[in-house]
Amino acid sequence: MSITSDLIRGHTETIILARLIQSDSYGYEINKHIKIKTDNEYELKEATLYSTFKRLEDGGMIVSYWGDGNKGARRKYYSVTQKGKDYYDIQKRDWIKTKELIENLIY
Amino acid sequence: MDNRIKNYVDELFYDAPKSRKMYEIKEEILSNVIDKYEDLIREGIDENSAFKIAISNIGDIEELIEKNSDIEEKQEIYRKKSGLINAIVTGLYILSPVPIITIQNELGVILLLAIIALATGLSIYNSSLRPKYITVDDDLYKEFVDWKNDTNQDRKVRKEMSSIITSITIIVYFIVSFTFRNWDISWVIFLIGGLVKKIYFVYYDRKNRIKYGGNY
């Protein structure tokens, strides 16, 4: 996990946007989804998650609203904007290109 | 056990500035940690281990706190400066009748008006120093703006009435003083003017309170 996290970190925004494009969601649910999809190999820290949300929200990629949560506290939900979807498409395209490039270089 | 998590998160944010933004970050992190904890319990993990795993995933929140404290610092500087200016303004207003009492002629009046003008100018300058709030996307801020817009009309009327009464007071003061040459006593008109203003506002607020159904 520690080996891959540095490589993954640069894609945190894209990973979160990918999840939000499917449906509105909140911090823990997004993280759980990541954990399940990676077979327990990867999980974001709360602090990383929050600062990424903040960055995306400041950039107009996502918007947030408070919803009903567990008994302890309210849940903050996030929803992707059109700008966020566009950004996701660009990031995805870039990643596919980068992947091919690296593969060519290191094999 | 929920309390234990809450206490732990509270402790993490102990040094954080007491702003709404910080409170929201705390609430968001808390709800995520509680969700995780409850999930772990459902998976059959005992309370103690679940607590440890849940809190171990919070990570380093120092970075989040520091970013916000910059804003707080700016506001703190403003608060101090603003307090000093307010003290000077109040002092000037209180001292403004002194030239009239001591000099007792037109020069005294001019000095009085000059002091009041200076104090008012300082007061306006002070309000222009107020730092711009960065929390434009804040829910509460939006609510506040809505509320302010609702009452803006009332404030406008209040402000206009206030300046009208002040102007009338000054005009009456000069007319009376120049006609009767009673500068030694005519300053009482300012007190009467102030009183009229107070009475008007009490009446106006009462009317509004009735308009808003007693819950103003």
Side-chain angles (χ1 to χ4, degrees):
Chain A
M1 182 173 159
S2 56
I3 313 160
T4 49
S5 41
D6 273 347
L7 288 170
I8 296 175
R9 195 162 295 145
H11 303 279
T12 311
E13 292 179 3
T14 323
I15 293 167
I16 289 173
L17 286 174
R19 178 71 192 94
L20 289 177
I21 283 169
Q22 291 169 16
S23 71
D24 289 4
S25 191
Y26 57 94
Y28 176 65
E29 204 271 335
I30 291 173
N31 222 354
K32 197 179 166 190
H33 180 82
I34 291 170
K35 216 175 141 189
I36 292 167
K37 267 205 145 185
T38 58
D39 254 338
N40 290 335
E41 291 269 348
Y42 190 68
E43 187 177 14
L44 292 169
K45 296 276 180 206
E46 289 292 331
T48 315
L49 201 60
Y50 179 78
S51 48
T52 312
F53 282 148
K54 179 94 178 55
R55 231 177 10 255
L56 286 170
E57 201 172 9
D58 287 346
M61 318 277 187
I62 57 172
V63 287
S64 66
Y65 57 93
W66 288 100
D68 291 336
N70 46 42
K71 50 201 156 164
R74 293 182 297 169
R75 254 183 213 142
K76 199 172 192 182
Y77 284 85
Y78 292 93
S79 176
V80 71
T81 62
Q82 187 54 48
K83 197 177 169 192
K85 285 178 189 164
D86 295 344
Y87 181 73
Y88 166 79
D89 287 338
I90 295 166
Q91 289 294 99
K92 198 172 147 190
R93 217 177 304 138
D94 283 356
W95 165 248
I96 291 165
K97 236 188 227 167
T98 312
K99 200 174 88 177
E100 283 169 10
L101 227 125
I102 301 284
E103 268 173 1
N104 286 335
L105 288 171
I106 64 174
Y107 281 126
Chain B
M1 187 45 85
D2 280 355
N3 271 340
R4 197 168 150 198
I5 296 171
K6 195 179 180 312
N7 290 343
Y8 180 82
V9 176
D10 278 345
E11 195 64 33
L12 277 181
F13 279 84
Y14 184 76
D15 288 330
K18 302 280 174 282
S19 69
R20 184 178 165 82
K21 205 100 226 184
M22 277 327 308
Y23 181 77
E24 287 197 348
I25 298 170
K26 194 169 93 175
E27 199 174 356
E28 188 177 4
I29 288 178
L30 178 65
S31 99
N32 285 340
V33 174
I34 291 174
D35 277 339
K36 190 182 170 76
Y37 170 80
E38 284 178 350
D39 238 18
L40 289 166
I41 294 290
R42 264 193 295 276
E43 282 170 25
I45 292 164
D46 69 280
E47 289 196 351
N48 232 357
S49 313
F51 172 72
K52 277 183 191 141
I53 297 168
I55 60 162
S56 72
N57 197 47
I58 294 175
D60 188 15
I61 64 151
E62 287 302 309
E63 192 197 347
L64 299 175
I65 292 173
E66 260 170 27
K67 259 187 249 163
N68 283 274
S69 65
D70 291 348
I71 305 161
E72 289 287 309
E73 213 166 279
K74 247 181 243 164
Q75 283 175 349
E76 185 56 38
I77 292 168
Y78 165 73
R79 258 195 294 273
K80 276 186 187 146
K81 202 169 173 186
S82 165
L84 178 69
I85 294 176
N86 274 335
I88 294 170
V89 167
T90 312
L92 284 174
Y93 277 130
I94 292 170
L95 289 176
S96 63
V98 169
I100 293 221
I101 297 162
T102 51
I103 302 174
Q104 292 195 350
N105 62 21
E106 286 87 343
L107 183 69
V109 179
I110 292 164
L111 278 173
L112 168 110
L113 290 175
I115 292 170
I116 287 174
L118 180 69
T120 310
L122 269 176
S123 182
I124 292 166
Y125 169 69
N126 189 20
S127 57
S128 76
L129 285 178
R130 193 186 297 272
K132 301 275 175 290
Y133 288 102
I134 304 160
T135 51
V136 183
D137 56 340
D138 202 286
D139 287 344
L140 188 78
Y141 181 78
K142 271 185 210 147
E143 278 165 32
F144 174 69
V145 169
D146 288 344
W147 169 81
K148 221 171 113 184
N149 285 340
D150 282 347
T151 50
N152 247 359
Q153 203 53 39
D154 290 335
R155 283 148 155 269
K156 224 187 208 162
V157 175
R158 276 183 78 112
K159 233 185 213 162
E160 270 164 18
M161 272 316 290
S162 170
S163 58
I164 288 170
I165 295 172
T166 308
S167 308
I168 292 173
T169 310
I170 293 170
I171 292 164
V172 170
Y173 170 73
F174 278 113
I175 292 172
V176 169
S177 304
F178 277 113
T179 339
F180 301 106
R181 294 265 150 207
N182 56 350
W183 297 98
D184 54 328
I185 187 67
S186 60
W187 56 268
V188 171
I189 289 166
F190 280 107
L191 296 185
I192 296 167
L195 202 66
V196 168
K197 212 189 276 185
K198 272 265 151 32
I199 290 168
Y200 172 75
F201 283 146
V202 168
Y203 166 74
Y204 184 79
D205 287 343
R206 225 182 109 86
K207 213 173 70 183
N208 270 342
R209 219 169 300 150
I210 291 161
K211 200 168 93 188
Y212 291 119
N215 263 326
Y216 186 55

